[in-house]
Amino acid sequence: MQRDQPGAQQSDSEATFLSQTLSNRGVKISTFYYSNFQDYEAYQGDRYHTVLNSLLCQNDMNYIEEPLLQYPDWRGHPFLRAEVAKFLSYYCGSPIRLNLRNVVLLNSCCAVFSALAMVLCDPEDAVLVPTPFHSGFLFSAQMYTQVELIPVHVGSEITNTNTQPFELMIGKLEQALLEAKTKNKKVKGLLLANPQNPLGEVNMKESLKEYLKFAKRNELHVIIDETYMLSVFDETIIFHSVLSLESLPDPNRTHVIWGSKDFGITGFRFGILYTHNDDVVSAMTPFGYLHSVSGITQYKLRRLLGDRDWINRVYLPINHSRLQEAYGYVIKRLHELEEQFGFKITFRSIGCGLYIWINLKRLLEPCTFEEELVLHRRFLDHKLILSRGKSYMFKEPGWFRLMFAEHSQRLREAMDRFGQAIEEQKQYWIQKMLEDEVTS
Amino acid sequence: MQRDQPGAQQSDSEATFLSQTLSNRGVKISTFYYSNFQDYEAYQGDRYHTVLNSLLCQNDMNYIEEPLLQYPDWRGHPFLRAEVAKFLSYYCGSPIRLNLRNVVLLNSCCAVFSALAMVLCDPEDAVLVPTPFHSGFLFSAQMYTQVELIPVHVGSEITNTNTQPFELMIGKLEQALLEAKTKNKKVKGLLLANPQNPLGEVNMKESLKEYLKFAKRNELHVIIDETYMLSVFDETIIFHSVLSLESLPDPNRTHVIWGSKDFGITGFRFGILYTHNDDVVSAMTPFGYLHSVSGITQYKLRRLLGDRDWINRVYLPINHSRLQEAYGYVIKRLHELEEQFGFKITFRSIGCGLYIWINLKRLLEPCTFEEELVLHRRFLDHKLILSRGKSYMFKEPGWFRLMFAEHSQRLREAMDRFGQAIEEQKQYWIQKMLEDEVTS
């Protein structure tokens, strides 16, 4: 099982700690980090890299030339930005040829988001975020930017504002914006992810346009994270990049982020911004001073992104078929567990991303975030890492993100343990119910 | 000629620009960056890397293993931190064996300083900085941290507070601290560089201890940048790392930074913090999320730092003899220019670092920062980059940092051009003097 949160490699028994030497904000950032991520250990297992290694270990990959060892262009070496522009033009299906001058490369998608939030928002400005939303950006916003993320809760239930579960309706955005304005908050942007993480859904083209039009009407920037765009493994699903649209409602306020996840190389530490706004590129540039990528890594990345033949003929087919297989296996095991335990584990996933969003609230008694944490810890006792809903700012307790991008043997072992954890939790749940009856 | 400022790779004709889309702080950071660094172009020349290349291009350097491609330990891979601890123990002459748990690796010294300023200082807190001080940290402080740097001016003249030029007397620090307190500023730390940049001096052991004691008396953190510790090329000069001291007055408030400059590999993008303070290590850890180094670069770095035999027998002797030669050549040329033009170019350098701090105020009429900029631009017209005093927060106009770490042929060409620029400036100066006489 895997996660996209920072891994805490030390055990701080105290979530909140006082220090005689740290600043208040130092303590605040630390406390947030360790209270949210202290349970995670560095994920050191392998995934599908035997495929990648064959490319990355070629002899001519070990190339060093002088400029790679010197200060880089702070937006990324031009040779790499040119390759990125070509790569995005092709894989995003852009109607125009994308330009290297609109590309900024920093050392992670979160660093891109952090710098972007700095140059688009002033302290205490706000950004709307449909939740659940992946925790990396949420955490990044807390470190440097002082930008408030206003969650727009997208619920699992069908209500009068939601005709479908987890559907982000424009009405919800309008309402959230209105409420924020009533509280005198300056809302500067809307943060989206497509494919969504943790929901594993892609936006319909029409919805995407609606979000962009809503943003334009309200003069909001749209920051759209397309990190998993190449991890749509079900061929019947069509992913529409925002860069594929014939025309953008507000090109100067539309900013796309993409990074290392589609190649499973988070250790490369890179993230890419594509924006048509020259001022934004210009203002992002100084941030390369604090967030740039080593020249030798930039060189390898160019080689990787530039080998389209290898990506199309070797990497993507293998990666997608493995993801499909792992996904199918996990779905099957979840169905078996439902039969075994006699309750429905509602799960969301339509065949993209590396994860399934599952609902285990039937195992919580009472259904609270405290009990969600108990279940999370139970998974950890079984050496399973499942990110819990709370870290995605989701308001309904009991949801978890289950990563399935794993070798079949490890996945079988993981699902066995998952079953054991569920079994234990069920016993715990029965015990709690009995106690409740006794005391009531 | 070289520089350690960020290189602006685009020409923004407007130093101050307005934007409909950027935040106020976005505009502020951009304006500061482009107004200070817009003249700099990426330095793409080579230096001494034929030496390094032989090591970095060895076949087994192209090593990829799974953990290098995955999320790292946010403080840096343990294998690298262990190597760094060994490296610093040896080269800093530490009386105790330094420990990997006190090491934090981020993607530049400036990133280390930025994160450190975050966890030690709250917004509007202040840090004392003896100036001239190299511009990288000064710039970093302006981006995210909101920490005020209070310059403690160390002048070129002998006065009743300074018995020697450029000497940082404790009295000056006491006075600066008192003045800051009078203005209700919360001073949290003292920033030092040893070897100093741009002065090219090393601290005497006794002075170093005095600074540390001053800091302890006043409960200030000491952040000491030892970036150029291995670039002391004059063998008669002894460098004392703060880590070499038998005992530190306040170990919990003493933090050492070291980085890529000693190996001339700024393109590697790494910076290292060594601190005895566990709370600081702990609070710095989350910042790895935004400032970490790619795994493959960390691997290469371990190989480089771990090859002590190569460093001692090959790299350092060659590097030092080349620096010595280049330094001697530049000093000779400066003396010749003094004779030719009949005025003293006071210069500071005692045989360490890659630069000489030179005084050209005799060529400014009037002696202002505006005229300093004119001379700076004149150098640029000759394709010479000399950082000017103002970017080091130096209060006396007319000082420049001249980098000499260059191949002999390029250095000869550069000094020829330098002479031409001085000649032109002299003509300009005479013209100005004549105009002054006419108008007065």
Side-chain angles (χ1 to χ4, degrees):
Chain A
M1 302 282 146
Q2 232 241 350
R3 48 95 183 101
D4 67 357
Q5 288 87 350
Q9 284 80 18
Q10 58 200 99
S11 64
D12 283 49
S13 53
E14 296 282 35
T16 305
F17 67 93
L18 295 172
S19 167
Q20 294 203 305
T21 49
L22 296 184
S23 62
N24 296 328
R25 65 181 173 191
V27 171
K28 207 171 109 196
I29 291 167
S30 253
T31 303
F32 181 83
Y33 174 74
Y34 289 109
S35 63
N36 279 277
F37 303 124
Q38 66 175 335
D39 296 325
Y40 295 99
E41 289 173 6
Y43 173 81
Q44 296 291 346
D46 57 355
R47 274 196 293 175
Y48 299 146
H49 289 120
T50 40
V51 187
L52 261 179
N53 271 354
S54 61
L55 183 80
L56 291 175
C57 283
Q58 281 170 15
N59 263 342
D60 58 351
M61 266 288 185
N62 193 25
Y63 178 72
I64 308 264
E65 56 170 11
E66 305 303 331
L68 299 181
L69 299 177
Q70 300 294 338
Y71 280 118
D73 182 324
W74 297 115
R75 290 164 295 171
H77 280 292
F79 67 74
L80 176 56
R81 285 187 289 124
E83 198 65 65
V84 166
K86 270 195 258 176
F87 178 89
L88 294 179
S89 298
Y90 179 78
Y91 287 105
C92 296
S94 170
I96 55 160
R97 207 166 131 179
L98 302 177
N99 196 316
L100 74 97
R101 67 195 293 263
N102 301 327
V103 175
V104 178
L105 173 94
L106 298 180
N107 73 331
S108 64
C109 289
C110 288
V112 170
F113 177 66
S114 175
L116 203 50
M118 288 294 290
V119 306
L120 300 180
C121 306
D122 282 307
E124 321 312 334
D125 283 353
V127 169
L128 299 180
V129 189
T131 55
F133 199 89
H134 66 92
S135 51
F137 283 14
L138 308 183
F139 178 59
S140 304
Q142 307 233 8
M143 297 184 74
Y144 283 129
T145 70
Q146 297 171 272
V147 166
E148 185 187 358
L149 299 179
I150 298 180
V152 183
H153 293 292
V154 180
S156 66
E157 321 251 298
I158 293 170
T159 63
N160 49 3
T161 50
N162 267 59
T163 57
Q164 287 197 32
F166 293 109
E167 195 176 11
L168 175 62
M169 306 294 288
I170 293 296
K172 282 229 159 190
L173 290 172
E174 300 275 13
Q175 187 191 336
L177 185 62
L178 191 66
E179 282 172 18
K181 282 182 177 167
T182 314
K183 292 176 190 159
N184 283 324
K185 291 183 180 175
K186 275 195 195 161
V187 180
K188 288 289 186 69
L190 168 65
L191 179 60
L192 297 172
N194 181 32
Q196 222 281 354
N197 175 3
L199 297 177
E201 292 185 335
V202 295
N203 286 132
M204 306 287 281
K205 200 173 191 169
E206 283 315 307
S207 312
L208 201 56
K209 283 184 186 168
E210 286 304 315
Y211 303 146
L212 294 173
K213 283 183 202 158
F214 158 79
K216 185 187 164 77
R217 277 199 302 281
N218 296 288
E219 297 192 349
L220 301 182
H221 290 273
V222 177
I223 300 171
I224 185 156
D225 173 17
E226 299 190 351
T227 293
Y228 289 100
M229 70 168 179
L230 294 183
S231 300
V232 182
F233 54 85
D234 181 334
E235 284 175 13
T236 64
I237 296 165
I238 299 168
F239 164 74
H240 297 284
S241 167
V242 82
L243 295 174
S244 74
L245 300 180
E246 282 300 324
S247 71
L248 289 170
D250 196 353
N252 264 332
R253 286 201 179 83
T254 309
H255 319 289
V256 185
I257 296 177
W258 180 78
S260 60
K261 295 277 174 60
D262 277 332
F263 288 98
I265 47 172
T266 51
F268 257 60
R269 312 308 300 136
F270 77 94
I272 283 159
L273 171 71
Y274 195 90
T275 176
H276 295 285
N277 188 322
D278 290 340
D279 285 350
V280 171
V281 169
S282 183
M284 289 284 285
T285 304
F287 287 87
Y289 202 51
L290 296 177
H291 298 291
S292 63
V293 177
S294 73
I296 47 183
T297 300
Q298 292 194 43
Y299 175 78
K300 280 192 163 59
L301 192 54
R302 172 179 65 164
R303 290 289 307 276
L304 175 63
L305 300 183
D307 200 340
R308 197 172 305 162
D309 184 57
W310 176 84
I311 295 173
N312 287 341
R313 287 199 314 111
V314 181
Y315 180 73
L316 288 180
I318 292 179
N319 198 36
H320 288 175
S321 84
R322 286 180 176 174
L323 287 174
Q324 184 80 59
E325 195 183 329
Y327 169 75
Y329 175 75
V330 168
I331 293 288
K332 182 171 78 78
R333 292 292 300 263
L334 288 174
H335 278 306
E336 285 169 10
L337 286 171
E338 285 181 334
E339 294 227 344
Q340 182 185 339
F341 293 105
F343 73 91
K344 180 119 186 83
I345 302 172
T346 316
F347 41 82
R348 303 286 303 177
S349 172
I350 57 159
C352 66
L354 317 177
Y355 36 75
I356 302 175
W357 183 236
I358 59 174
N359 179 0
L360 300 174
K361 72 177 173 188
R362 285 284 301 275
L363 291 172
L364 305 189
E365 176 55 36
C367 187
T368 61
F369 285 115
E370 289 69 35
E371 288 299 317
E372 179 182 277
L373 185 59
V374 169
L375 179 51
H376 173 72
R377 293 256 162 85
R378 191 180 305 284
F379 287 132
L380 282 172
D381 291 342
H382 288 268
K383 303 287 181 202
L384 296 174
I385 298 174
L386 279 85
S387 304
R388 59 202 172 100
K390 189 161 193 290
S391 65
Y392 297 94
M393 287 173 83
F394 192 48
K395 73 169 178 182
E396 304 172 24
W399 289 77
F400 290 83
R401 193 187 69 167
L402 190 156
M403 296 288 290
F404 56 79
E406 200 41 277
H407 284 296
S408 57
Q409 205 176 346
R410 286 170 66 97
L411 203 54
R412 185 173 308 122
E413 172 66 25
M415 289 309 293
D416 288 348
R417 294 184 187 186
F418 182 79
Q420 289 156 21
I422 296 289
E423 172 67 44
E424 281 177 25
Q425 180 72 13
K426 178 102 193 216
Q427 293 307 319
Y428 169 79
W429 180 85
I430 291 170
Q431 191 66 33
K432 292 269 273 187
M433 290 295 276
L434 290 173
E435 283 168 17
D436 287 354
E437 268 181 40
V438 170
T439 54
S440 66
Chain B
M1 301 283 147
Q2 233 240 351
R3 48 96 183 103
D4 67 357
Q5 289 86 350
Q9 283 79 18
Q10 58 199 99
S11 64
D12 283 48
S13 53
E14 297 282 34
T16 305
F17 66 93
L18 295 172
S19 167
Q20 294 203 304
T21 49
L22 296 184
S23 63
N24 295 328
R25 65 181 174 191
V27 171
K28 206 171 110 196
I29 291 168
S30 253
T31 303
F32 181 84
Y33 174 75
Y34 289 109
S35 63
N36 278 277
F37 302 124
Q38 66 175 335
D39 296 325
Y40 295 98
E41 288 172 7
Y43 173 80
Q44 296 291 347
D46 57 355
R47 273 196 294 174
Y48 298 145
H49 289 120
T50 39
V51 187
L52 261 179
N53 271 354
S54 60
L55 183 79
L56 291 175
C57 284
Q58 281 169 13
N59 263 343
D60 59 351
M61 266 289 185
N62 193 25
Y63 178 72
I64 308 265
E65 56 169 11
E66 305 303 332
L68 298 181
L69 299 177
Q70 300 294 337
Y71 280 118
D73 182 324
W74 297 115
R75 289 164 295 172
H77 280 292
F79 67 75
L80 176 55
R81 286 187 290 124
E83 199 64 65
V84 166
K86 270 195 257 177
F87 178 89
L88 294 179
S89 298
Y90 179 79
Y91 287 104
C92 295
S94 170
I96 55 159
R97 208 167 130 178
L98 302 177
N99 195 316
L100 74 95
R101 66 195 294 262
N102 301 326
V103 174
V104 178
L105 173 94
L106 298 181
N107 73 331
S108 64
C109 289
C110 288
V112 171
F113 177 67
S114 175
L116 203 49
M118 288 294 291
V119 306
L120 301 180
C121 306
D122 282 307
E124 320 313 333
D125 283 353
V127 169
L128 300 180
V129 189
T131 56
F133 199 89
H134 66 91
S135 51
F137 283 14
L138 308 183
F139 178 59
S140 304
Q142 308 232 5
M143 297 183 75
Y144 283 127
T145 71
Q146 297 172 274
V147 166
E148 184 187 358
L149 299 179
I150 298 179
V152 183
H153 293 292
V154 181
S156 66
E157 321 250 298
I158 293 169
T159 63
N160 49 4
T161 49
N162 267 59
T163 57
Q164 287 197 33
F166 293 108
E167 196 177 10
L168 176 61
M169 306 295 287
I170 293 296
K172 282 229 159 189
L173 290 172
E174 301 274 14
Q175 188 190 334
L177 185 61
L178 191 66
E179 281 172 18
K181 281 182 178 169
T182 313
K183 292 176 190 160
N184 283 324
K185 291 183 179 175
K186 275 195 195 161
V187 180
K188 288 288 186 69
L190 168 64
L191 178 60
L192 297 172
N194 182 32
Q196 221 281 354
N197 175 4
L199 296 177
E201 292 185 336
V202 295
N203 286 132
M204 307 286 280
K205 200 172 192 169
E206 283 314 307
S207 313
L208 201 56
K209 284 184 185 167
E210 286 304 315
Y211 303 145
L212 295 173
K213 283 183 202 158
F214 157 79
K216 185 186 164 78
R217 276 199 302 281
N218 296 287
E219 296 192 349
L220 301 182
H221 290 274
V222 177
I223 300 171
I224 185 156
D225 173 17
E226 299 190 351
T227 293
Y228 289 99
M229 71 169 179
L230 294 183
S231 300
V232 181
F233 54 85
D234 181 334
E235 284 174 13
T236 65
I237 296 164
I238 299 168
F239 164 74
H240 297 284
S241 167
V242 83
L243 295 174
S244 74
L245 300 180
E246 282 301 323
S247 70
L248 288 170
D250 196 354
N252 263 332
R253 286 201 180 84
T254 309
H255 319 289
V256 185
I257 296 177
W258 180 78
S260 60
K261 295 278 174 61
D262 278 332
F263 287 98
I265 47 171
T266 50
F268 257 60
R269 311 309 299 138
F270 77 93
I272 283 159
L273 171 71
Y274 195 90
T275 176
H276 295 285
N277 188 322
D278 289 340
D279 284 351
V280 171
V281 169
S282 183
M284 290 284 285
T285 305
F287 287 87
Y289 202 51
L290 296 177
H291 298 291
S292 63
V293 177
S294 73
I296 47 182
T297 300
Q298 292 194 43
Y299 175 79
K300 280 191 162 62
L301 192 54
R302 172 180 65 165
R303 290 288 308 276
L304 175 63
L305 300 183
D307 200 341
R308 197 173 304 163
D309 184 57
W310 176 83
I311 295 172
N312 287 342
R313 287 198 315 111
V314 181
Y315 180 74
L316 287 180
I318 293 180
N319 198 36
H320 288 175
S321 84
R322 286 178 176 175
L323 286 173
Q324 184 79 58
E325 194 183 330
Y327 169 75
Y329 176 76
V330 168
I331 293 288
K332 182 171 78 79
R333 292 293 301 264
L334 288 175
H335 279 306
E336 285 168 10
L337 286 171
E338 285 182 333
E339 294 227 344
Q340 182 186 340
F341 292 104
F343 73 91
K344 180 115 187 86
I345 302 172
T346 315
F347 40 83
R348 304 284 304 176
S349 171
I350 56 158
C352 67
L354 317 176
Y355 36 75
I356 302 174
W357 183 236
I358 59 175
N359 179 1
L360 300 174
K361 71 177 174 188
R362 285 284 300 277
L363 291 172
L364 305 189
E365 176 55 36
C367 187
T368 61
F369 285 115
E370 288 70 35
E371 288 299 317
E372 180 183 277
L373 185 58
V374 169
L375 179 51
H376 173 72
R377 293 256 161 86
R378 191 181 304 285
F379 287 132
L380 282 172
D381 290 342
H382 288 267
K383 304 285 181 203
L384 297 174
I385 298 174
L386 279 86
S387 304
R388 59 202 172 99
K390 189 161 192 290
S391 66
Y392 297 94
M393 287 173 83
F394 192 49
K395 73 169 179 182
E396 304 173 25
W399 289 77
F400 290 83
R401 192 187 71 166
L402 190 155
M403 295 288 289
F404 56 79
E406 199 41 277
H407 284 296
S408 57
Q409 206 177 345
R410 286 171 66 98
L411 203 53
R412 185 174 308 122
E413 172 67 26
M415 289 309 292
D416 288 349
R417 293 184 188 186
F418 182 79
Q420 289 156 21
I422 296 289
E423 172 68 45
E424 281 177 25
Q425 180 73 12
K426 178 102 192 214
Q427 293 307 319
Y428 169 79
W429 179 85
I430 291 169
Q431 191 65 33
K432 291 269 273 186
M433 289 296 275
L434 290 173
E435 282 167 18
D436 287 353
E437 269 182 37
V438 170
T439 54
S440 67

